[in-house]
């Protein structure tokens, strides 16, 4: 597969493999964090007296490892595989890519230990420790490794590494995946600098909140989303063995996303002391994003028309398209929940938690898992140890996610209406308990699915073959 | 077409710039004239609860806040309290702003305004995006120090359905069999209660809310 250039292979497959392993490892740790935190809601937290495992800190582990451990590593694995193939050129760095990889894992590890040791930064999705006293940038006053700065340097080097082959690419017209990737590389470092430094050192109070909202949103919208869609535009036509339905539509989808998505930020703090015009603007552009998303989703579903059997026979395609249905669901939900009327009820409730799980895991997480299912046999050179386990993985995860989403949505509505009705706070806790129980159970389904998958990956890498499939090889 | 990647570079930065202008720069300019209060200024006016904590735990207080009940100690406690509030992710279970909707001004108190956040203790702000527990920006005086001391030790002791974690590391000594009500706070315990009691203490008068409408002591 990998065509050789004179000096080195086009794709460093070992690196892709290492990234997938790292992604999976952080993912499992993060899931355990989420699981333990959910037990707190059932008054059954297993380590109530251990300071380092205080439930709040464990919650920070859950989100930060998902973002910087699971998603970043998983997306970069896909990019490392796809970009050289799309451009015909290897990444800029050879050995240095490996160094970057290890430095990135060190950054995640520093975040992990820093959060547990109580060095969180008060910025949602960017709790990665600043290393400095809050509000002050004073070299003599360091409290922890300056993870924020390391992340920015890391992102910049990664961007240079992956952007160079795109710039040097000989082909005249760029494929849509590469639009998304290049835009994503430009945005990520900007987003991180804006979101982690300005509210921390320059913008107190409400004006800092506006930037924080922008950061929460842009991290999803300007890093994860473009990378994720770029990978879909690459893998889906490849597996289906046919071109994407409409090139024009993908053009519209891209440019509209690039324009409207960044304007959504303030919708995370609606009805807050941030000036209302910014809030109105955010609401309107959020609704506009829904239109954009529809074009992209239509494009992909038009592509699969006539190839429906892939949904049954091809597991990666099933992951990809399930996630696209979830994507459409979340975006439709977004257009509704962002209105100031709906916000009155659902803001601050579990509705939002359900929404973010569906988008971060149900969409981007699913895509990454699909890419892993697709690439792992190629990377290890072995057939799947037991393809049936992969089906268990899919169904446990997808059904678990579906249940968790609806469970939290309903819980959110109940909480919101009870608060509005001025019921005592205890009442909202009592009403939520059954939903929190279902949340833990559905989460457990997801976790079991991932451990099954990790086991299958491990056995596949070892070259093992389940006895079932040695006797019945055609089953795959 | 030849330089397509350059187009993306420029367009990417430009779109990003537009969003920062509208979503960040404009609100910033709009609120620029609100005077910012550094910690030294915030700590000038001490809440009575701070002095009361010094009385309740004289030994511990003297050890950790040797300057006594002064603005210096108060500033130290507020700063540390905020740090703990961030580190323990209290802000992921409690919000810090009252919205003008959903009857929140009846439940919590007056609707929040931007000027309340232009100070060193809301830098970065602690608005929060989730309410597992109630909003805390009007927390001042809602409960007594005693209540908080018992609550942080084990919230379900006070509110049986509470899902708030317990924080035994805010205490120097656990209550014993012989003296089940004797909690001794440590430096962090004094700090977090000072910080929580500070929230909303800048209001001119104590607001009438659901808490004092429901017979006193209901919670």
């Amino acid at each position: 597969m990998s065509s050789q250039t004179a000096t080195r292979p086009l794709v460093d497959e070992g690196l892709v493999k290492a990234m997938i392993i790292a992604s999976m490892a952080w993912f499992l740790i993060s899931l355990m964090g989420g699981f333990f935190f959910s037990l707190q809601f059932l008054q059954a937290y297993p380590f109530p007296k251990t300071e380092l495992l205080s439930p709040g800190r464990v919650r920070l582990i859950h989100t930060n490892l998902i973002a910087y451990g699971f998603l970043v590593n998983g997306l970069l694995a896909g990019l490392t595989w796809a970009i050289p193939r799309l451009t015909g050129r290897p990444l800029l760095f050879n050995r240095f890519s490996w160094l970057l990889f290890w430095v990135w894992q060190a950054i995640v590890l520093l975040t992990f230990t820093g959060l547990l040791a109580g060095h969180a930064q008060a910025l949602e999705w960017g709790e990665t420790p600043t290393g400095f006293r809050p509000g002050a940038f004073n070299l003599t006053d360091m409290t922890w490794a300056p993870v924020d700065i390391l992340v920015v340097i890391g992102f910049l080097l990664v961007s240079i590494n992956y952007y160079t082959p795109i710039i040097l690419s000989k082909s005249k017209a760029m494929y849509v995946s590469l639009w998304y990737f290049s835009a994503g590389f430009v945005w990520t470092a900007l987003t991180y600098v804006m979101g982690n430094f300005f509210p921390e050192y320059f913008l107190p109070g409400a004006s800092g909140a506006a930037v924080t909202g922008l950061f929460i949103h842009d991290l999803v919208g300007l890093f994860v989303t473009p990378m994720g869609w770029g990978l879909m535009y690459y893998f889906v036509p490849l597996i289906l063995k046919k071109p994407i339905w409409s090139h024009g539509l993908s053009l519209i989808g891209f440019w509209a996303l690039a324009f409207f998505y960044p304007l959504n930020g303030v919708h995370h703090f609606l009805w807050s002391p941030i000036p209302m015009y910014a809030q109105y603007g955010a609401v309107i552009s959020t609704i506009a994003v829904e239109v954009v998303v529809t074009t992209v989703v239509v494009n992909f579903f038009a592509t699969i028309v006539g190839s429906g059997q892939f949904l049954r026979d091809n597991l990666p395609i099933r992951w990809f398209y399930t996630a696209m249905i979830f994507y459409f669901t979340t975006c439709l939900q977004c257009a509704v929940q962002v209105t100031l009327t709906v916000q009155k009820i659902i803001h601050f409730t579990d509705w939002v938690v359900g929404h973010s799980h569906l988008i971060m895991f149900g969409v981007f997480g699913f895509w990454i898992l699909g890419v892993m299912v697709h690439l792992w046999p190629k990377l290890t050179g072995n057939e799947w140890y037991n393809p049936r386990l992969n089906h268990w993985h899919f169904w446990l995860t997808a059904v678990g996610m579906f249940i968790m989403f609806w469970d939290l949505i309903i819980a959110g509505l109940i909480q919101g209406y009870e608060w509005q009705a001025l019921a005592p706070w205890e009442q909202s806790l009592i009403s939520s308990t059954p939903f929190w129980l279902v949340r833990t159970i559905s989460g457990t389904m997801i976790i079991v699915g991932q451990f099954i998958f990790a086991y299958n990956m491990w056995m596949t890498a070892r070259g093992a073959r389940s006895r079932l499939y040695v006797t019945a090889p055609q089953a795959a | 077409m030849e330089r397509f990647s350059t187009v993306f570079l420029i367009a990417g930065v430009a779109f990003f710039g537009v969003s920062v202008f509208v979503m960040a720069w404009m609100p910033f300019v709009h609120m620029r004239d609100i005077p910012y209060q550094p910690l030294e200024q915030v700590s000038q006016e001490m809440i009575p609860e701070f002095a009361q904590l010094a009385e309740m735990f004289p030994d511990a207080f003297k050890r950790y806040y040797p300057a006594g009940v002064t603005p210096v100690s108060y500033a130290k406690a507020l700063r540390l309290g905020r740090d703990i509030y961030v580190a323990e992710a209290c802000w992921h279970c409690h919000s810090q702003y009252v919205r003008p909707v959903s009857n929140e001004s009846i439940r919590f108190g007056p609707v929040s305004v931007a000027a309340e956040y232009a100070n060193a203790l809301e830098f970065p702000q602690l608005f929060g995006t989730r309410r597992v527990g109630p909003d805390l920006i009007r927390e001042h005086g809602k409960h007594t120090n005693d209540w908080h001391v018992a609550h942080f030790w084990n919230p379900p002791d006070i509110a049986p359905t509470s899902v708030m974690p317990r924080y035994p590391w805010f205490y120097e000594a656990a209550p014993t069999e012989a003296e089940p009500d004797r909690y001794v706070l440590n430096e962090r315990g004094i700090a977090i209660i000072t910080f929580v009691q500070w929230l909303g203490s800048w209001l001119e008068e104590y607001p009438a809310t659901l808490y004092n409408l429901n017979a006193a002591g209901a919670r």
Side-chain angles (χ1 to χ4, degrees), chain A residues 41 59 347-350 352-353 415 419 436, chain B residues 91-95 127-133:
Chain A
F41 289 71
R59 181 220 182 268
H347 191 50
F348 294 127
T349 70
D350 269 328
V352 183
V353 183
Q415 291 155 1
W419 295 343
W436 286 336
Chain B
W91 51 294
H92 282 305
C93 277
H94 294 283
S95 62
F127 278 6
T129 49
R130 176 79 177 92
R131 279 181 191 155
V132 180

Side-chain angles (χ1 to χ4, degrees), chain B residues 142-143 147 158 211-219:
Chain B
K142 212 163 255 181
H143 301 288
W147 188 93
I158 308 292
Y211 284 85
N212 34 36
L213 292 178
N214 286 344
R219 302 192 77 231

Side-chain angles (χ1 to χ4, degrees), chain A residues 23-63:
Chain A
S23 173
M24 212 47 210
W26 292 123
F27 186 33
L28 294 179
I29 299 174
S30 163
L31 287 176
M32 292 318 291
F35 174 71
F36 288 137
F37 188 54
S38 82
L39 292 179
Q40 173 64 38
F41 289 71
L42 304 172
Q43 294 191 328
Y45 192 71
F47 326 105
K49 291 180 181 168
T50 316
E51 183 182 342
L52 290 179
L53 294 176
S54 162
R57 303 183 192 187
V58 168
R59 181 220 182 268
L60 299 179
I61 295 298
H62 178 55
T63 53

Side-chain angles (χ1 to χ4, degrees), chain A residues 182-194:
Chain A
S182 8
F185 284 126
V186 176
W187 285 327
T188 306
L190 284 175
T191 299
Y192 200 85
V193 170
M194 171 198 73

Side-chain angles (χ1 to χ4, degrees), chain B:
Chain B
M1 278 307 223
E2 194 81 78
R3 293 259 62 89
F4 221 179
S5 48
T6 328
V7 176
F8 285 99
L9 194 67
I10 295 168
V13 175
F15 286 170
F16 188 83
V18 170
S19 80
V20 170
F21 182 79
V22 180
M23 292 281 125
W25 179 255
M26 280 170 56
F28 164 69
V29 172
H30 192 110
M31 295 184 281
R32 188 167 49 178
D33 295 335
I34 302 174
Y36 172 75
Q37 296 194 337
L39 188 56
E40 300 75 53
Q41 197 179 332
V42 176
S43 57
Q44 283 312 313
E45 232 174 282
M46 282 185 285
I47 51 169
E49 283 81 358
F50 187 60
Q52 199 202 358
L53 281 170
E55 267 168 43
M56 288 166 72
F57 308 100
D59 298 339
F61 194 92
K62 228 176 259 132
R63 200 161 338 119
Y64 300 120
Y65 301 96
V69 185
T70 58
V72 177
S73 306
Y74 185 47
K76 186 178 165 200
L78 285 176
R79 175 89 262 171
L80 180 62
R82 186 203 134 94
D83 287 356
I84 296 166
Y85 191 89
V86 173
E88 299 289 359
C90 310
W91 51 294
H92 282 305
C93 277
H94 294 283
S95 62
Q96 284 196 14
Y97 65 98
V98 180
R99 304 181 301 165
V101 295
S102 195
N103 292 329
E104 285 182 15
S105 56
I106 302 176
R107 185 187 286 278
F108 297 121
V111 172
S112 298
V113 295
E116 295 179 81
Y117 299 88
N119 61 63
L121 294 170
E122 291 285 343
F123 186 13
Q125 42 71 32
L126 296 169
F127 278 6
T129 49
R130 176 79 177 92
R131 279 181 191 155
V132 180
D135 189 275
L136 294 182
I137 197 68
R138 305 283 174 242
E139 189 62 18
H140 170 68
K142 212 163 255 181
H143 301 288
T144 61
N145 281 342
D146 279 328
W147 188 93
H148 285 293
V149 171
H151 187 246
F152 282 117
W153 175 258
N154 189 15
D157 285 351
I158 308 292
T161 57
S162 179
V163 299
M164 176 158 150
R166 47 189 311 181
Y167 294 96
W169 47 92
F170 292 169
Y171 298 78
E172 238 166 33
T176 54
E177 289 280 324
E179 291 176 296
D181 296 334
R182 195 170 170 279
Y183 305 90
V184 183
L185 291 180
N186 62 18
E187 182 180 18
R188 292 193 272 173
I190 293 174
I192 189 74
I193 294 182
T194 307
F195 178 71
V196 166
Q197 293 282 27
W198 168 76
L199 290 167
S201 60
W202 49 83
L203 293 183
E204 289 296 319
E205 54 189 86
Y206 191 72
T209 65
L210 203 59
Y211 284 85
N212 34 36
L213 292 178
N214 286 344
R219 302 192 77 231

Side-chain angles (χ1 to χ4, degrees), chain A residues 6-163:
Chain A
T7 44
R8 58 181 164 125
L10 193 60
V11 174
D12 186 344
E13 297 196 349
L15 187 61
V16 182
K17 203 160 138 187
M19 284 170 167
I20 289 184
I21 294 171
S23 173
M24 212 47 210
W26 292 123
F27 186 33
L28 294 179
I29 299 174
S30 163
L31 287 176
M32 292 318 291
F35 174 71
F36 288 137
F37 188 54
S38 82
L39 292 179
Q40 173 64 38
F41 289 71
L42 304 172
Q43 294 191 328
Y45 192 71
F47 326 105
K49 291 180 181 168
T50 316
E51 183 182 342
L52 290 179
L53 294 176
S54 162
R57 303 183 192 187
V58 168
R59 181 220 182 268
L60 299 179
I61 295 298
H62 178 55
T63 53
N64 280 271
L65 289 196
I66 282 293
Y68 302 104
F70 173 54
L71 292 178
V72 170
N73 277 310
L75 291 171
L76 284 183
L79 295 179
T80 313
W81 178 269
I83 286 186
R85 287 190 159 74
L86 283 164
T87 58
R89 289 181 166 267
L91 302 181
L92 176 64
F93 306 129
N94 188 10
R95 285 284 179 76
F96 194 65
S97 294
W98 274 96
L99 185 68
L100 267 182
F101 169 78
W102 285 111
V103 168
W104 189 263
Q105 309 320 317
I107 289 175
V108 184
L109 190 68
L110 278 175
T111 305
F112 177 75
T113 42
L115 293 180
L116 287 187
H119 295 286
Q121 183 186 12
L123 295 172
E124 193 164 359
W125 282 107
E127 289 96 346
T128 45
T130 54
F132 300 99
R133 302 284 312 158
F137 190 85
N138 184 351
L139 281 178
T140 55
D141 208 7
M142 293 246 289
T143 54
W144 186 253
V147 176
D148 270 356
I149 295 172
L150 296 177
V151 169
V152 172
I153 298 171
F155 267 145
L156 279 176
L157 288 173
V158 165
S159 305
I160 294 171
N161 194 13
Y162 289 77
Y163 203 30

